[in-house]
Amino acid sequence: MAEVSRSGFPIGQPPAPVGGFPGMGGTTAEVPPSTPPAPAPQTAPVTATVPQAPSRKRSGDTWWERVRFEVTDAVTSGALSERLIRASSAVEAPITTGRRIIVLGTAGGAATTTVAALLAKLLGSIRQEPVIAVDATDRSGNLLRYLGSSQAALLTELMQQFRTQSVRTLPDAVKHAASCGSQVFAAGRADVPALADAPVALQEWTDVSSTLSRFMAVTVVDGGASPLSRHAAALLGTAHAVVLVSPPGNPEAAKLASIQESLGKSFPDVHQISVVVRSRQNHEAALSDGMLPYDRHLASGSSLQLSRLGSRTRIAATELTGKALMAANRA
């Protein structure tokens, strides 16, 4: 008897065929030729991607300055907050017909455009009336970019429209202006020679500024950094107030005083306001009236957002806006 394995099949003999496989029941089945397996599809290696965090714009204050402001405001029983409320009330004060405020710098890089953008933004956010900011510098400026507009809005097209078409409504007046939110509109010069003595025609500027004043509560004009040029003289010919922007320092203070004296003789009816904009180099110096603090958000050169201004910057800028508006309202 053949030896039987534990599986029940004789050792050395094949197991009984099971149905359906080759050799089963003495029948011969066709074995299909073996085919190599299909190659696996090539896929690009998977690499883990880390999502990029959106870039954050700097706020005007550091965290330590914000804490210090809150503590100081609490210790002084809200004196700083009270200053902001009073300053905002001055900006909201009733005015007569449309006021025109010219912003002029005593030197290049004095932050003239920054101040003009601040005035326009604060007027538009506090008052409930339309405001227009005009880049009337003697060279292409950045006023529209500071106001957050990527739209091209040429002052020359606005002037051409006012000369050739009737302007009866606000939409007519801002047809060629850029909308910057909060009832703020803007127009700029991007096609003029970079020459301080290439003035805007006085009569043409008189016509356009008077037309804008019919529909705008305030017209803020960035006049550039040549306050004693013929170009600035044309702008000042229709102004109610002028804001002179100066860098810090004793030599600059002497220059500012000289310019104030010259403008006072030439334009006695134009009320003057001056502001010193501090730079990063001397931002630790004590603040005084008529100074705008160094602000990281303003120094970044990005579009201006009031919510990102430093606390002291917001107060000083609002006070400046109120003073400029009151000066223009006295004219």
Side-chain angles (χ1 to χ4, degrees):
M1 181 176 176
E3 185 181 355
V4 179
S5 66
R6 292 182 180 180
S7 65
F9 292 99
I11 296 176
Q13 296 181 8
V18 182
F21 285 92
M24 175 181 171
T27 60
T28 304
E30 294 279 336
V31 180
S34 61
T35 56
Q42 296 292 327
T43 58
V46 179
T47 56
T49 57
V50 179
Q52 295 287 334
S55 58
R56 298 182 59 186
K57 294 181 179 178
R58 281 188 170 187
S59 61
D61 285 337
T62 62
W63 70 270
W64 167 243
E65 289 169 333
R66 289 194 293 270
V67 170
R68 186 171 60 177
F69 180 88
E70 295 294 339
V71 172
T72 303
D73 198 33
V75 170
T76 57
S77 301
L80 296 175
S81 299
E82 183 63 28
R83 278 180 59 190
L84 182 59
I85 294 173
R86 289 198 304 268
S88 299
S89 298
V91 178
E92 289 180 306
I95 59 175
T96 54
T97 56
R99 301 289 89 186
R100 295 183 287 272
I101 301 173
I102 311 298
V103 183
L104 293 171
T106 61
T112 308
T113 301
T114 300
V115 170
L118 270 174
L119 294 179
K121 278 280 190 179
L122 285 167
L123 286 165
S125 65
I126 297 175
R127 301 187 67 88
Q128 301 300 315
E129 303 152 329
V131 173
I132 190 166
V134 178
D135 180 1
T137 58
D138 49 16
R139 62 188 67 202
S140 300
N142 296 313
L143 183 60
L144 268 70
R145 180 169 63 84
Y146 285 2
L147 291 172
S149 173
S150 58
Q151 174 185 351
L154 295 182
L155 180 59
T156 51
E157 294 182 357
L158 196 69
M159 290 180 169
Q160 176 68 19
Q161 176 202 352
F162 289 176
R163 282 197 305 266
T164 59
Q165 303 174 21
S166 59
V167 181
R168 296 189 177 92
T169 63
L170 176 62
D172 292 339
V174 298
K175 180 179 179 181
H176 292 288
S179 176
C180 303
S182 300
Q183 290 292 305
V184 176
F185 300 91
R189 301 184 78 191
D191 54 352
V192 295
L195 297 173
D197 288 330
V200 176
L202 176 59
Q203 186 57 52
E204 186 177 37
W205 178 249
T206 301
D207 293 341
V208 70
S209 60
S210 61
T211 302
L212 289 174
S213 292
R214 288 166 46 199
F215 303 97
M216 303 293 171
V218 186
T219 301
V220 179
V221 182
D222 180 4
S226 304
L228 300 180
S229 66
R230 290 186 296 150
H231 178 85
L235 301 176
L236 288 167
T238 64
H240 297 112
V242 56
V243 176
L244 292 170
V245 185
S246 173
N250 292 331
E252 295 298 335
K255 182 178 180 181
L256 172 62
S258 176
I259 291 173
Q260 287 175 318
E261 182 180 0
S262 297
L263 294 183
K265 294 178 180 178
S266 302
F267 304 95
D269 296 330
V270 180
H271 295 276
Q272 298 184 27
I273 300 293
S274 62
V275 59
V276 175
V277 180
R278 297 197 313 187
S279 61
R280 184 175 184 177
Q281 285 71 24
N282 61 0
H283 70 281
E284 292 294 341
L287 276 175
S288 61
D289 189 37
M291 273 194 172
L292 199 63
Y294 169 75
D295 189 280
R296 299 193 309 166
H297 175 55
L298 294 181
S300 68
S302 59
S303 61
L304 174 60
Q305 298 182 35
L306 296 179
S307 61
R308 292 192 172 274
L309 289 178
S311 303
R312 287 172 174 77
T313 306
R314 182 67 178 262
I315 292 174
T318 307
E319 288 176 340
L320 171 65
T321 305
K323 290 177 182 178
L325 189 59
M326 287 189 294
N329 208 26
R330 291 197 301 266

